Amino acid sequence: MKYNLTHLKELESEAIFIIREVVAQFDNPALLFSGGKDSILCYHLAKKAFWPAKIPFPLVHVDTGHNFSETIAFRDSLVKKDGVELIVGSVQESIDQGKVAEETGFNASRNGLQTVTLLDTIEKHKFDACMGGARRDEEKARAKERFFSHRDEFGQWDPKNQRPELWNLFNGMKNFGENFRIFPISNWTEMDVWQYILHENIDLPSLYFSHERDVFIRDGVIYSDGEFMPKRPEEKIEKRIVRFRTIGDMTCTGAVESPADDLAKIIEEVAATRTTERGTRSDDKRSEAAMEDRKKEGYF
Amino acid sequence: MSETTGYLDMELLRFTTAGSVDDGKSTLIGRLLYDSKAIFQDQMEAVEKASKRIGGDGQVNLALLTDGLRSEREQGITIDVAYRYFATPKRKFIIADTPGHIQYTRNMVTGASTANLAIILVDARHGLVEQTARHSFIASLLGIKHVIYCVNKMDLVEYSQERYEEIKNQLDDFTSKLEINDIRYIPISALLGDNVVDRSKKMDWYGGSTLLYTLETVHIASDANHVDCRFPVQTVIRPQTTEFHDYRGYAGRVAGGVFKKGDEVIVLPSGFTSKIAKIDSFDGEIEEAFPPMSCTLILEDDIDVSRGDMIVRVNNQPEVSQDHEMMVCWMSTRPLQLNGKYAVKHTSRSARCIIKEIRYKVDINSLHRLEDDKDIKMNDIARITIRTTVPLFTDRYQRNRNTGSIILIDESTNETVGAGMIL
């Protein structure tokens, strides 16, 4: 018997350790659930961490109101099947309450507004730790974030003043009103996630697999047609065979043309692709430090 | 097709990189990522764009790939530990890229704390400098089992074998004072790629492996402690459902040794003994549990076990004590207070402690003990003794990192202020 784990087993074990640590150290944790593959993976790992008991925290979805219908259907069926609690924070509600103003114009997105709704939801339910499926390989500001990421009473992240994180000793101590964002799959890469999903046979929304869709092209990005997607006169709807590498809000998530209709083909495609998955996300392209700036304000 | 089939027997190697300012550390990482095709086209385009803006001699600045924070890019230095990932068909790698500046020793300690291996960069023009000594000492103190000295910028010393040997001898002398078993030397040029991924055509005199080959093949399976069985309980799993009515499992991650069904165990601190009835997981029963496996232990007897307890073998127990002697790396701008009280975390156990004695400070450049200097400030390393409010179950750090490490937390700011390695 060889006493070593494969890289996926080691990553799994690390994530389970972190998730259990969250439940042990915090009073009122939650799992941020977007319906994307990374949050589905986190949910799967959380199930493993507490099996045969149920997961001892709710799922929280910040719904921009501009989600793909496939994502919402997937979310609802998962919640129903496993009997877990789901809390939905609505960006539409934040807009209706006048807390945020909607962006206007063709590239308008509710992505930035999510932060306000997220912080409101955290406050309303008094969550002291929100787990999320962010990974360090996604983006360079995230590469510096801790597993246990401290947020002050305004929900802000201070990248230059992060607590050192040593060994497997996680410091979740905080003052009243402060909270933590916790990232159990920090050390996973896009490839690790896909390989694990294949190996564990985890269900995903159909958006990830190749299908025919009505799309239009803007600034080289393939966007899905939909009622929240205003189009310029020259932007023509056409049918293409596409899939999505990441799933965010419809307004900021681009598709890729792809024939990959199963996990093995997706993995081959990921291995051969020469752009990052966030390359299809217009929210990151606003500036060199777009992610860092959003995170400082409390973005997940 | 290796991505869909070969991945099931890939190992994970965590390594840290250290070097002084301008040793080319970020360039080396950029080179590893670039040559192993872990850098994507859009990242490369962003870096090319940024390189042009910052200026320079027209070369793409690979360092910009790792310097993620705005202030780092502005100052052209790495401030915080950044984690980077790449994979080859043999292994997946996690790099903890740590800054070389004197004020950021705490970051190197942080990066080193989870690493199997350290790459220490030495500038071929300057040889062993103060920071090389410091980085080597920290690697040794943090119990890193494998150290590779990359003698970098060989292109700037005409790829001279003589110069390389001279530096290697300097390092050999110095490292004999340290507790590192596996030390290797590789002459490289990170900028031009010599001996990083591909063999250098300019250094035929070097008969050893390239850096990447070494990283892919260094033996790490026996780095963890497989002798002393230690299972810190993280949380108790009690489903309380009809199907699992009497289920009571102790969830945690194996911190040492190999646990098997039927093992006689003792629970600390209560001292109750029992046998392992089953090692459980979502994926079914586990025959043998070893580090760093997360699993759930079920005992034959119904005894009181909770978070912070440790399940160990009856005939191999850790030290159970309230008094602990350790090396500490101080990480806060507020100096260590003799007789001060701090919160501590050790395995899954939380407690408070008082600093009983500061024995000496270590001059991390010369490794000398400064017996008269007991003013322990940020980035200092000292030998101290503490007394904890409750007993901790410890092993020597050099024997087991998981049960020999401890963190000190300032109770007024909740910040992690000290990293302790138990002696």
Side-chain angles (χ1 to χ4, degrees), chain A residues 177-237:
Chain A
E178 297 175 345
N179 63 76
F180 275 78
R181 301 291 166 79
I182 289 157
F183 305 108
I185 59 163
S186 288
N187 276 333
W188 298 53
T189 61
E190 183 186 16
M191 182 58 91
D192 297 329
V193 172
W194 283 115
Q195 287 174 337
Y196 187 83
I197 287 170
L198 172 68
H199 184 238
E200 299 275 311
N201 201 13
I202 298 172
D203 262 347
L204 292 182
S206 56
L207 293 163
Y208 282 112
F209 302 97
S210 177
H211 58 281
E212 190 181 65
R213 176 170 287 266
D214 286 338
V215 298
F216 64 94
I217 317 286
R218 176 181 297 165
D219 304 329
V221 178
I222 305 171
Y223 288 103
S224 177
D225 186 31
E227 56 174 315
F228 329 109
M229 305 293 288
K231 286 161 289 290
R232 297 192 180 96
E234 70 276 16
E235 291 168 345
K236 295 280 178 287
I237 301 297

Side-chain angles (χ1 to χ4, degrees), chain B residues 353-393:
Chain B
C353 80
I354 182 164
I355 310 295
K356 298 291 279 186
E357 192 185 351
I358 300 170
R359 291 189 187 256
Y360 56 81
K361 180 153 107 183
V362 180
D363 178 332
I364 52 175
N365 300 317
S366 65
L367 308 190
H368 289 147
R369 296 175 178 187
L370 309 172
E371 312 262 356
D372 300 325
D373 185 355
K374 299 192 171 171
D375 189 15
I376 311 303
K377 296 191 294 284
M378 173 109 119
N379 295 311
D380 282 342
I381 288 168
R383 181 166 175 158
I384 63 169
T385 60
I386 67 168
R387 182 169 172 81
T388 48
T389 46
V390 294
L392 303 180
F393 320 123

